[in-house]
Amino acid sequence: FPILKWENPNATYGIYITVTPAEAEVTLTKSGEPVTGTAAGGVYSYTGLEPGSYAWTASYETGDCAQQSGTITVGKADVYKTVELQARVYPVVFTVSPADAELTVKSGEETVEPASSENGTFTYQLKNGDYTWSAESFGYIAQTDNAFTVSKAGQNITVSLVRGTSHKLSFT
């Protein structure tokens, strides 16, 4: 019978990391030393590896994605890992007066829900991009379609609605 790979004391193994987006970069180290591999179409291949613990890091700064990292333990088999990097989000905090005003934030035509809202403070976690906000409250002049851009940083936006003209009505 032929000897199986896991039975061979001199066998080497591979780590195969598939990362999304495919333009992201992956590094692999063992005991702090870089491990050489190949990359094609978002798949990073590291072969000829001895059993042990390897640290990996996936990043995509150009796409403003949050870095991910971890460890992979190679035993007596090849290891396959899939990593999906997520776009970074930034806190955008609206302080609205009066506190009972309604605030709407949109990305294009899509309404974005706040992560939290309390007493006129609305906190959103937003990706890079262009947004609009509108605020209204009974007895105040509405503010609509105010544009703002998130670009790799959080923001604080203060909204102060102005009271509308009031008229005294009397009925006889």
Side-chain angles (χ1 to χ4, degrees), residues 3-13 48-51 75-76:
I3 189 169
L4 299 175
K5 187 173 184 178
W6 61 270
E7 295 175 313
N8 181 350
N10 299 317
T12 60
Y13 303 94
L49 305 178
E50 298 175 355
K76 294 188 179 226

Side-chain angles (χ1 to χ4, degrees), residues 94 102-106 111-112 124 132-136:
F94 287 85
E102 292 181 27
L103 178 70
T104 303
V105 173
K106 289 187 173 187
T111 299
V112 181
Y124 292 82
T132 60
W133 63 265
S134 299
E136 61 182 33

